[in-house]
Amino acid sequence: MTTQPRLVEVRKNVLKQNDVTARALRERFREAGVLAVSLVSSPGSGKTAFLEKTLTLLHSRYRVAALVGDLATENDAARLARSQAPVKQILTGTVCHLEAAMVQNALEGWDLTQFDFLFIENVGNLVCPSSYDLGEDLRFVLLSVTEGEDKPLKYPTIFNSADVAVITKSDLAAAVEFDETAALRNIQAVRPGMEVFKTSAKTGEGMAEYLGYLEHRRARSRAAAAVSL
Amino acid sequence: MTTQPRLVEVRKNVLKQNDVTARALRERFREAGVLAVSLVSSPGSGKTAFLEKTLTLLHSRYRVAALVGDLATENDAARLARSQAPVKQILTGTVCHLEAAMVQNALEGWDLTQFDFLFIENVGNLVCPSSYDLGEDLRFVLLSVTEGEDKPLKYPTIFNSADVAVITKSDLAAAVEFDETAALRNIQAVRPGMEVFKTSAKTGEGMAEYLGYLEHRRARSRAAAAVSL
């Protein structure tokens, strides 16, 4: 097909433009002293439940905010708003991932220095979000126990683009005969040394450990920013 | 961004080429008297378990074959081969959907007149496969009870591109407090009149009804083909 090289070339331009915008966002986050964390996973892995629990637990001690991407509906923003944190929905239409420019537009009207943590929930997809840097400090990939232990092997690129893996819905592990050893082995095969948290937004299992990690990362990133000023 | 119009134009060409190939495939399926059924869903909805059960149950009475798409690994083909049906894996690399040309290539060496049913398991994704016709007679969209009842509202395009919805993992419905009424309402909101089957590949619930539907559709399609000859 003669169109293939053109498609590749155009796609490169889109990605290059995205990288420029993402770099600018990362710089803004650093200057504002906010730790930006994005979440990726397949649809139905429990991203929104996990994020709602995160916002609720952090809310008393930190200033938190969230952006949430979906093709259609503002359901997730409505759910997350129950945590009392400021939340904005990004509707992507038919686009299967967030782009840095969408994040930039959604942030308009927010003073980032008023936040300690900014969470960005990507569209539910294990493929499209891989190539798009959103300027986040950390990218978490979520994997629910109901999805099957081989997802890291099947979607290596998204696991490679992420910094941390979170196993969700651990309360269902027994019911679905989740093989944790196999899941951990598959994660390490694709991304050796990757940090993994096992959590349940329902029972709260593993949430304290994961929140401790977030706090530690925020402190580290602020210390690094102070040194570079 | 100046690249946007070019990207749209190139994408249109790709889709147009795909439609031409899909039309040729559909004609081949009709002439060979094989009913082609594709499965789409998010990763981890249980497509492969559902398909393995389907192949195993149909195998004694019909000649069945399957193509299965994934970004990486041949795990699914290996799993499906346990059913004794001929199976081929299509590896898409970083592409988040199957295309008609990939199906066409994968079919090389197979005599389609030797099959009654051909199943095509798409890459796990609720967005990308929407726009790509594979020449199939029927497209099934799967939704597991663990994913949340609002998926049809969040991914309306894929539900619109499908003919039938299958609720999977019904054995876990109680454990995850699945709200069946809400799920059915959301499916009907997006695609009024859509046929829905509720199944469990584990317990076998709903499989007989779904297989009856497949047999009925195959008989109908053969009758129509006979008339048009």
Side-chain angles (χ1 to χ4, degrees):
Chain A
M1 217 161 26
T2 56
T3 52
Q4 201 56 23
R6 277 184 65 203
L7 188 60
V8 170
E9 186 200 322
V10 173
R11 191 151 184 269
K12 268 189 193 155
N13 286 341
V14 171
L15 285 175
K16 197 172 155 189
Q17 179 57 47
N18 187 76
D19 282 344
V20 171
T21 311
R23 212 153 39 225
L25 278 175
R26 187 165 284 115
E27 185 57 25
R28 266 180 75 191
F29 296 146
R30 199 186 62 83
E31 282 174 4
V34 59
L35 190 79
V37 177
S38 79
L39 306 178
V40 294
S41 82
S42 63
S45 300
K47 274 188 303 307
T48 311
F50 179 75
L51 183 49
E52 186 181 354
K53 191 79 178 176
T54 302
L55 296 176
T56 304
L57 292 172
L58 285 176
H59 194 256
S60 58
R61 290 173 296 140
Y62 293 96
R63 301 164 304 167
V64 290
L67 302 177
V68 51
D70 266 306
L71 272 68
T73 88
E74 306 227 340
N75 293 1
D76 284 357
R79 270 178 76 185
L80 293 175
R82 298 188 301 207
S83 71
Q84 312 292 326
V87 176
K88 278 193 203 172
Q89 180 87 44
I90 303 175
L91 292 182
T92 64
T94 58
V95 177
C96 50
H97 57 263
L98 289 180
E99 298 183 8
M102 300 177 189
V103 171
Q104 193 175 44
N105 292 340
L107 289 177
E108 255 180 50
W110 275 0
D111 174 2
L112 290 178
T113 64
Q114 297 305 305
F115 301 129
D116 299 313
F117 291 98
L118 172 71
F119 294 91
I120 307 169
E121 181 183 331
N122 216 315
V123 176
N125 206 299
L126 278 184
V127 183
C128 316
S130 310
S131 321
Y132 292 84
D133 184 0
L134 303 179
E136 69 269 63
D137 298 293
L138 285 174
R139 180 176 292 191
F140 283 57
V141 59
L142 275 61
L143 171 71
S144 75
V145 298
T146 65
E147 280 173 74
E149 299 81 3
D150 61 350
K151 288 295 163 293
L153 303 180
K154 284 187 173 181
Y155 299 88
T157 311
I158 196 97
F159 278 81
N160 263 307
S161 85
D163 304 289
V164 176
V166 178
I167 296 171
T168 57
K169 306 191 189 181
S170 68
D171 53 291
L172 294 172
V176 299
E177 297 164 38
F178 178 64
D179 184 345
E180 185 175 343
T181 309
L184 294 176
R185 188 176 55 234
N186 292 340
I187 292 170
Q188 297 305 321
V190 171
R191 189 99 152 86
M194 192 176 212
E195 189 95 38
V196 184
F197 295 96
K198 187 180 160 201
T199 65
S200 164
K202 200 169 176 181
T203 66
E205 185 195 346
M207 293 301 291
E209 200 181 341
Y210 144 75
L211 292 177
Y213 175 80
L214 276 187
E215 294 183 86
H216 162 74
R217 287 300 300 245
R218 178 166 177 272
R220 207 175 87 179
S221 130
R222 289 184 66 93
V227 166
S228 74
L229 286 178
Chain B
M1 219 163 20
T2 56
T3 53
Q4 201 58 21
R6 278 185 66 202
L7 188 60
V8 170
E9 185 200 320
V10 172
R11 193 154 181 266
K12 268 189 195 156
N13 286 341
V14 171
L15 285 175
K16 198 172 154 189
Q17 178 57 49
N18 187 78
D19 282 344
V20 171
T21 311
R23 212 153 39 225
L25 278 175
R26 187 166 285 117
E27 187 55 26
R28 266 181 75 189
F29 296 147
R30 198 187 62 83
E31 283 175 4
V34 60
L35 190 80
V37 177
S38 80
L39 307 177
V40 294
S41 81
S42 62
S45 300
K47 272 188 306 307
T48 311
F50 178 76
L51 182 49
E52 186 180 353
K53 191 81 179 175
T54 302
L55 296 176
T56 305
L57 292 172
L58 285 177
H59 193 254
S60 59
R61 290 173 296 140
Y62 293 96
R63 301 163 304 165
V64 290
L67 302 177
V68 50
D70 266 306
L71 272 69
T73 87
E74 307 226 338
N75 293 0
D76 284 357
R79 269 177 75 185
L80 293 175
R82 297 188 301 205
S83 70
Q84 311 292 326
V87 176
K88 279 194 203 173
Q89 180 87 43
I90 303 175
L91 292 182
T92 64
T94 58
V95 178
C96 48
H97 56 263
L98 289 180
E99 298 182 10
M102 299 177 189
V103 171
Q104 194 175 43
N105 292 340
L107 289 176
E108 256 181 50
W110 274 1
D111 175 2
L112 290 179
T113 63
Q114 297 305 305
F115 301 129
D116 300 313
F117 292 98
L118 172 70
F119 294 91
I120 306 169
E121 181 184 331
N122 215 315
V123 176
N125 206 298
L126 279 184
V127 182
C128 316
S130 310
S131 322
Y132 292 84
D133 183 1
L134 303 179
E136 67 270 63
D137 298 292
L138 286 174
R139 181 177 291 192
F140 283 57
V141 59
L142 275 61
L143 170 72
S144 74
V145 298
T146 66
E147 280 173 74
E149 298 81 3
D150 61 349
K151 288 295 163 294
L153 303 180
K154 285 187 172 180
Y155 298 88
T157 311
I158 197 97
F159 279 81
N160 263 308
S161 85
D163 305 288
V164 176
V166 178
I167 296 172
T168 57
K169 305 191 190 182
S170 68
D171 53 290
L172 293 173
V176 299
E177 297 163 37
F178 178 63
D179 184 344
E180 186 174 342
T181 309
L184 294 176
R185 189 175 56 234
N186 293 339
I187 291 170
Q188 296 304 323
V190 170
R191 189 98 152 86
M194 192 177 212
E195 189 95 40
V196 184
F197 295 96
K198 187 180 159 201
T199 65
S200 164
K202 200 170 176 179
T203 65
E205 183 194 347
M207 293 301 291
E209 201 182 340
Y210 143 76
L211 292 177
Y213 175 80
L214 276 187
E215 293 181 88
H216 162 74
R217 287 299 302 244
R218 178 167 177 273
R220 207 174 87 178
S221 130
R222 288 182 68 93
V227 167
S228 73
L229 284 179

